[in-house]
Amino acid sequence: MNAPAQRAGTLLIDAGNTRVKFGWRNDDATSAQAVPRTSLQVAFRHEEVPEALLPWLDEAGLRPRAALGSNVAGDDSERTIASLLARNGCAVDWIRAGRRLLGVTNGYRHPERLGADRWLSLVGIWNRWRRQAAPGAAAPVHVLAHFGTATTVDTLDGSGRFVGGLILPGRDLMRQSLAAGTAGLPRANGQVAPFPDNTGDAIMSGVAAAQAGAVARQWLAARERFRQEPLLVASGGAWSAIAGEVAHLMRAAGSTRQVLVVDNPVLDGLACLAESGLAPSS
Protein backbone atom coordinates (compact mmCIF):
# COMPACT_ATOMS: atom_id res chain seq x y z
CA MET A 1 0.00 0.00 0.00
CA ASN A 2 1.32 3.41 -0.91
CA ALA A 3 1.92 5.89 1.90
CA PRO A 4 -0.49 8.85 1.88
CA ALA A 5 0.74 12.11 0.45
CA GLN A 6 2.22 14.37 3.08
CA ARG A 7 0.13 17.40 4.03
CA ALA A 8 1.68 20.34 5.84
CA GLY A 9 -0.36 22.29 8.32
CA THR A 10 -1.11 23.10 11.93
CA LEU A 11 -2.08 20.52 14.52
CA LEU A 12 -4.84 21.69 16.85
CA ILE A 13 -4.94 20.19 20.34
CA ASP A 14 -7.74 20.19 22.91
CA ALA A 15 -6.44 18.41 26.02
CA GLY A 16 -9.51 17.99 28.21
CA ASN A 17 -10.03 16.30 31.53
CA THR A 18 -10.69 12.85 30.06
CA ARG A 19 -9.52 12.86 26.45
CA VAL A 20 -7.28 14.74 24.07
CA LYS A 21 -8.95 15.83 20.84
CA PHE A 22 -6.83 16.62 17.79
CA GLY A 23 -7.85 18.61 14.73
CA TRP A 24 -5.99 19.74 11.64
CA ARG A 25 -5.75 22.87 9.52
CA ASN A 26 -4.04 22.58 6.13
CA ASP A 27 -1.59 25.31 5.21
CA ASP A 28 -3.64 25.92 2.07
CA ALA A 29 -7.02 26.06 3.86
CA THR A 30 -9.34 28.81 2.68
CA SER A 31 -10.85 31.41 4.95
CA ALA A 32 -14.16 31.08 3.08
CA GLN A 33 -15.19 28.24 5.39
CA ALA A 34 -17.52 28.99 8.30
CA VAL A 35 -14.70 27.79 10.53
CA PRO A 36 -11.22 27.33 9.01
CA ARG A 37 -10.73 23.70 9.99
CA THR A 38 -10.91 20.48 8.08
CA SER A 39 -13.25 17.72 9.20
CA LEU A 40 -10.30 15.53 10.16
CA GLN A 41 -10.43 14.91 13.90
CA VAL A 42 -9.48 12.18 16.34
CA ALA A 43 -9.64 11.73 20.11
CA PHE A 44 -7.55 9.61 22.47
CA ARG A 45 -7.71 9.03 26.18
CA HIS A 46 -4.72 10.57 27.92
CA GLU A 47 -3.07 7.22 28.55
CA GLU A 48 -3.38 6.33 24.84
CA VAL A 49 -1.62 9.44 23.52
CA PRO A 50 2.01 8.26 23.87
CA GLU A 51 1.38 5.22 21.66
CA ALA A 52 -1.29 6.61 19.34
CA LEU A 53 -0.47 10.20 18.34
CA LEU A 54 2.54 9.77 16.05
CA PRO A 55 1.14 6.68 14.27
CA TRP A 56 -2.08 8.59 13.60
CA LEU A 57 -0.16 11.48 12.07
CA ASP A 58 1.85 9.07 9.90
CA GLU A 59 -1.17 7.07 8.75
CA ALA A 60 -3.08 10.25 7.90
CA GLY A 61 -0.10 11.72 6.04
CA LEU A 62 0.04 14.79 8.28
CA ARG A 63 3.23 16.79 8.74
CA PRO A 64 2.63 19.46 11.37
CA ARG A 65 4.80 22.50 10.94
CA ALA A 66 3.27 24.02 14.08
CA ALA A 67 0.83 23.10 16.83
CA LEU A 68 -1.58 25.18 18.88
CA GLY A 69 -3.11 23.75 22.02
CA SER A 70 -5.53 24.20 24.87
CA ASN A 71 -4.82 22.22 28.02
CA VAL A 72 -6.83 21.83 31.22
CA ALA A 73 -5.36 18.42 32.09
CA GLY A 74 -2.21 19.53 33.90
CA ASP A 75 1.49 19.87 33.20
CA ASP A 76 2.11 16.18 32.53
CA SER A 77 -0.22 16.26 29.54
CA GLU A 78 1.58 19.28 28.07
CA ARG A 79 4.98 17.68 28.52
CA THR A 80 3.91 14.36 27.00
CA ILE A 81 2.38 15.91 23.87
CA ALA A 82 5.20 18.43 23.42
CA SER A 83 7.82 15.69 23.72
CA LEU A 84 6.10 13.51 21.12
CA LEU A 85 5.76 16.33 18.60
CA ALA A 86 9.34 17.44 19.17
CA ARG A 87 10.42 14.15 17.55
CA ASN A 88 8.92 15.53 14.33
CA GLY A 89 10.51 18.92 14.84
CA CYS A 90 7.20 20.53 15.78
CA ALA A 91 6.84 22.88 18.75
CA VAL A 92 3.56 23.43 20.60
CA ASP A 93 2.24 26.85 21.62
CA TRP A 94 -0.16 26.38 24.53
CA ILE A 95 -2.76 29.14 24.52
CA ARG A 96 -3.81 30.81 27.78
CA ALA A 97 -6.71 33.15 28.36
CA GLY A 98 -5.98 36.84 27.91
CA ARG A 99 -7.91 40.09 27.80
CA ARG A 100 -8.80 40.09 24.07
CA LEU A 101 -8.54 37.74 21.12
CA LEU A 102 -10.10 37.83 17.65
CA GLY A 103 -13.02 40.05 18.57
CA VAL A 104 -13.73 38.53 21.99
CA THR A 105 -13.16 40.46 25.21
CA ASN A 106 -12.60 38.60 28.47
CA GLY A 107 -14.70 40.05 31.29
CA TYR A 108 -13.49 37.63 33.95
CA ARG A 109 -12.38 39.42 37.13
CA HIS A 110 -8.94 37.86 36.64
CA PRO A 111 -8.83 37.14 32.87
CA GLU A 112 -5.79 34.85 33.09
CA ARG A 113 -7.70 32.49 35.40
CA LEU A 114 -10.32 31.62 32.82
CA GLY A 115 -9.76 28.09 31.52
CA ALA A 116 -8.14 27.96 28.11
CA ASP A 117 -10.87 25.64 26.85
CA ARG A 118 -13.66 28.04 27.81
CA TRP A 119 -11.75 31.01 26.36
CA LEU A 120 -11.03 29.37 23.02
CA SER A 121 -14.56 28.00 22.78
CA LEU A 122 -15.93 31.52 23.08
CA VAL A 123 -13.49 32.69 20.40
CA GLY A 124 -14.64 29.81 18.20
CA ILE A 125 -18.39 30.44 18.44
CA TRP A 126 -18.02 34.22 18.07
CA ASN A 127 -15.95 33.90 14.91
CA ARG A 128 -18.28 31.22 13.54
CA TRP A 129 -21.13 33.71 13.81
CA ARG A 130 -19.08 36.53 12.26
CA ARG A 131 -18.22 34.37 9.24
CA GLN A 132 -21.81 33.30 8.64
CA ALA A 133 -23.61 36.59 9.40
CA ALA A 134 -24.94 38.90 6.74
CA PRO A 135 -23.05 42.20 6.40
CA GLY A 136 -24.19 44.67 9.02
CA ALA A 137 -26.22 42.11 10.99
CA ALA A 138 -26.49 42.70 14.73
CA ALA A 139 -24.77 39.99 16.75
CA PRO A 140 -26.93 37.93 19.10
CA VAL A 141 -26.14 37.21 22.70
CA HIS A 142 -24.58 33.73 22.82
CA VAL A 143 -25.04 31.24 25.66
CA LEU A 144 -22.54 28.41 25.23
CA ALA A 145 -23.25 25.19 27.14
CA HIS A 146 -20.53 22.55 27.05
CA PHE A 147 -21.32 19.11 28.45
CA GLY A 148 -18.08 17.28 29.20
CA THR A 149 -16.45 15.97 32.36
CA ALA A 150 -17.57 19.30 33.77
CA THR A 151 -20.49 21.30 32.44
CA THR A 152 -19.89 24.98 31.72
CA VAL A 153 -22.45 27.59 30.69
CA ASP A 154 -20.88 30.84 29.45
CA THR A 155 -22.40 34.03 28.00
CA LEU A 156 -21.13 36.42 25.33
CA ASP A 157 -22.97 39.70 24.88
CA GLY A 158 -23.70 41.24 21.48
CA SER A 159 -20.34 42.98 21.35
CA GLY A 160 -18.35 39.78 21.90
CA ARG A 161 -17.68 40.39 25.59
CA PHE A 162 -17.62 37.38 27.89
CA VAL A 163 -19.72 38.43 30.87
CA GLY A 164 -19.43 35.30 33.03
CA GLY A 165 -20.58 31.75 33.39
CA LEU A 166 -21.21 28.63 35.47
CA ILE A 167 -19.14 25.53 36.21
CA LEU A 168 -20.82 22.43 37.61
CA PRO A 169 -20.13 18.70 37.69
CA GLY A 170 -20.89 16.99 34.41
CA ARG A 171 -23.47 14.27 33.94
CA ASP A 172 -21.15 11.37 34.78
CA LEU A 173 -19.61 13.13 37.77
CA MET A 174 -23.09 13.67 39.19
CA ARG A 175 -23.88 9.99 38.77
CA GLN A 176 -20.57 8.97 40.33
CA SER A 177 -21.03 11.27 43.32
CA LEU A 178 -24.36 9.65 44.18
CA ALA A 179 -22.89 6.16 43.91
CA ALA A 180 -19.80 7.09 45.97
CA GLY A 181 -21.54 9.21 48.60
CA THR A 182 -24.54 7.05 49.44
CA ALA A 183 -24.94 3.49 50.71
CA GLY A 184 -27.95 2.47 48.68
CA LEU A 185 -27.80 4.29 45.36
CA PRO A 186 -26.05 2.65 42.38
CA ARG A 187 -24.31 4.30 39.46
CA ALA A 188 -27.45 4.53 37.39
CA ASN A 189 -28.01 3.68 33.74
CA GLY A 190 -31.68 4.56 33.61
CA GLN A 191 -33.79 6.66 31.30
CA VAL A 192 -34.94 10.25 31.59
CA ALA A 193 -38.66 10.29 32.36
CA PRO A 194 -41.19 12.93 33.54
CA PHE A 195 -42.20 10.85 36.57
CA PRO A 196 -39.55 8.17 37.18
CA ASP A 197 -40.84 5.06 38.95
CA ASN A 198 -37.53 3.31 39.61
CA THR A 199 -34.18 4.30 41.10
CA GLY A 200 -32.17 4.21 37.87
CA ASP A 201 -34.60 6.44 36.04
CA ALA A 202 -34.92 8.72 39.07
CA ILE A 203 -31.18 9.33 39.18
CA MET A 204 -30.78 9.89 35.44
CA SER A 205 -33.82 12.17 35.33
CA GLY A 206 -32.53 14.17 38.28
CA VAL A 207 -29.11 14.58 36.69
CA ALA A 208 -30.62 15.66 33.37
CA ALA A 209 -32.91 18.12 35.14
CA ALA A 210 -29.98 19.65 37.03
CA GLN A 211 -27.91 20.02 33.86
CA ALA A 212 -30.78 21.50 31.86
CA GLY A 213 -31.76 23.73 34.76
CA ALA A 214 -28.32 25.33 34.82
CA VAL A 215 -28.60 26.08 31.10
CA ALA A 216 -32.10 27.51 31.45
CA ARG A 217 -31.02 29.65 34.40
CA GLN A 218 -28.26 31.32 32.39
CA TRP A 219 -30.38 31.65 29.26
CA LEU A 220 -33.12 33.40 31.23
CA ALA A 221 -30.60 35.62 33.03
CA ALA A 222 -29.08 36.65 29.69
CA ARG A 223 -32.51 37.36 28.18
CA GLU A 224 -33.43 39.54 31.14
CA ARG A 225 -30.13 41.43 31.16
CA PHE A 226 -29.81 42.08 27.43
CA ARG A 227 -33.50 42.28 26.49
CA GLN A 228 -33.21 39.84 23.62
CA GLU A 229 -33.51 36.11 23.06
CA PRO A 230 -30.05 34.56 23.34
CA LEU A 231 -28.71 32.01 20.87
CA LEU A 232 -28.07 28.76 22.74
CA VAL A 233 -24.96 26.90 21.51
CA ALA A 234 -24.33 23.34 22.75
CA SER A 235 -21.29 21.08 22.57
CA GLY A 236 -19.70 18.12 24.34
CA GLY A 237 -20.08 14.38 24.46
CA ALA A 238 -22.92 14.37 27.01
CA TRP A 239 -25.09 16.77 25.02
CA SER A 240 -27.15 14.06 23.35
CA ALA A 241 -28.26 12.71 26.74
CA ILE A 242 -29.31 16.18 27.94
CA ALA A 243 -30.75 17.59 24.70
CA GLY A 244 -34.35 16.52 25.26
CA GLU A 245 -34.51 17.98 28.75
CA VAL A 246 -32.92 21.23 27.59
CA ALA A 247 -35.36 21.50 24.68
CA HIS A 248 -38.29 21.02 27.06
CA LEU A 249 -37.12 23.81 29.38
CA MET A 250 -36.31 26.13 26.49
CA ARG A 251 -39.82 25.74 25.08
CA ALA A 252 -41.28 26.40 28.52
CA ALA A 253 -39.16 29.56 28.76
CA GLY A 254 -40.52 30.81 25.43
CA SER A 255 -37.48 30.18 23.25
CA THR A 256 -38.10 30.33 19.51
CA ARG A 257 -34.51 29.73 18.34
CA GLN A 258 -33.07 26.36 17.39
CA VAL A 259 -30.14 25.20 19.49
CA LEU A 260 -26.90 25.44 17.51
CA VAL A 261 -24.87 22.27 18.11
CA VAL A 262 -21.11 22.68 17.56
CA ASP A 263 -18.82 19.68 17.54
CA ASN A 264 -15.71 21.19 19.15
CA PRO A 265 -15.61 24.96 19.65
CA VAL A 266 -12.15 24.71 21.25
CA LEU A 267 -10.68 23.41 18.00
CA ASP A 268 -12.67 26.04 16.12
CA GLY A 269 -11.08 28.77 18.22
CA LEU A 270 -7.62 27.34 17.69
CA ALA A 271 -8.23 27.11 13.94
CA CYS A 272 -9.27 30.75 13.83
CA LEU A 273 -6.10 31.68 15.71
CA ALA A 274 -3.98 29.62 13.32
CA GLU A 275 -5.57 31.32 10.34
CA SER A 276 -5.18 34.82 11.80
CA GLY A 277 -1.39 34.63 11.85
CA LEU A 278 -1.33 36.28 15.27
CA ALA A 279 1.47 35.28 17.59
CA PRO A 280 0.00 33.02 20.30
CA SER A 281 1.00 35.56 22.93
CA SER A 282 -1.32 38.03 21.22
Side-chain angles (χ1 to χ4, degrees):
M1 181 179 296
N2 294 329
Q6 290 284 300
R7 285 185 285 168
T10 303
L11 184 66
L12 312 172
I13 306 165
D14 173 17
N17 292 294
T18 304
R19 301 185 303 161
V20 185
K21 282 77 72 179
F22 296 94
W24 182 259
R25 180 178 182 275
N26 289 326
D27 280 346
D28 58 357
T30 173
S31 61
Q33 298 168 275
V35 176
R37 176 168 52 84
T38 71
S39 60
L40 181 62
Q41 294 184 59
V42 71
F44 303 115
R45 297 186 66 85
H46 282 277
E47 62 271 21
E48 297 171 336
V49 170
E51 300 298 326
L53 175 56
L54 295 184
W56 172 68
L57 291 172
D58 288 341
E59 290 168 9
L62 305 179
R63 181 170 55 83
R65 60 167 184 80
L68 295 175
S70 162
N71 176 45
V72 297
D75 293 342
D76 286 347
S77 179
E78 284 194 11
R79 284 192 290 265
T80 297
I81 295 170
S83 176
L84 289 167
L85 293 176
R87 299 178 192 177
N88 285 358
C90 176
V92 185
D93 285 308
W94 297 103
I95 309 305
R96 317 296 182 193
R99 178 62 72 182
R100 294 180 182 83
L101 184 63
L102 299 181
V104 179
T105 302
N106 188 344
Y108 229 39
R109 184 175 303 173
H110 302 285
E112 71 281 359
R113 296 183 185 176
L114 179 64
D117 54 345
R118 294 170 70 194
W119 176 234
L120 287 161
S121 290
L122 293 167
V123 170
I125 65 166
W126 179 253
N127 283 276
R128 173 184 287 270
W129 177 84
R130 292 205 307 183
R131 288 167 180 272
Q132 295 176 329
V141 173
H142 289 71
V143 174
L144 171 61
H146 177 76
F147 300 92
T149 304
T151 294
T152 56
V153 190
D154 293 320
T155 301
L156 280 175
D157 71 12
S159 70
R161 179 179 176 82
F162 168 54
V163 297
L166 304 181
I167 304 174
L168 61 151
R171 181 195 63 161
D172 289 343
L173 283 180
M174 285 189 172
R175 295 163 62 202
Q176 291 166 13
S177 68
L178 280 172
T182 61
L185 294 178
R187 179 171 176 176
N189 289 302
Q191 303 296 315
V192 176
F195 300 98
D197 60 3
N198 62 82
T199 300
D201 288 359
I203 291 174
M204 292 303 295
S205 299
V207 168
Q211 299 284 314
V215 176
R217 186 251 200 196
Q218 290 307 98
W219 188 90
L220 288 168
R223 186 176 68 175
E224 180 178 0
R225 177 169 175 176
F226 299 108
R227 305 297 180 188
Q228 64 171 271
E229 182 176 350
L231 170 63
L232 178 59
V233 184
S235 68
W239 161 247
S240 60
I242 308 298
E245 194 74 11
V246 171
H248 173 73
L249 289 186
M250 291 295 97
R251 287 193 299 269
S255 174
T256 60
R257 288 182 182 268
Q258 293 291 320
V259 177
L260 173 62
V261 181
V262 177
D263 183 38
N264 193 312
V266 176
L267 294 183
D268 292 346
L270 289 168
C272 290
L273 181 57
E275 184 194 68
S276 73
L278 289 174
S281 59
S282 300

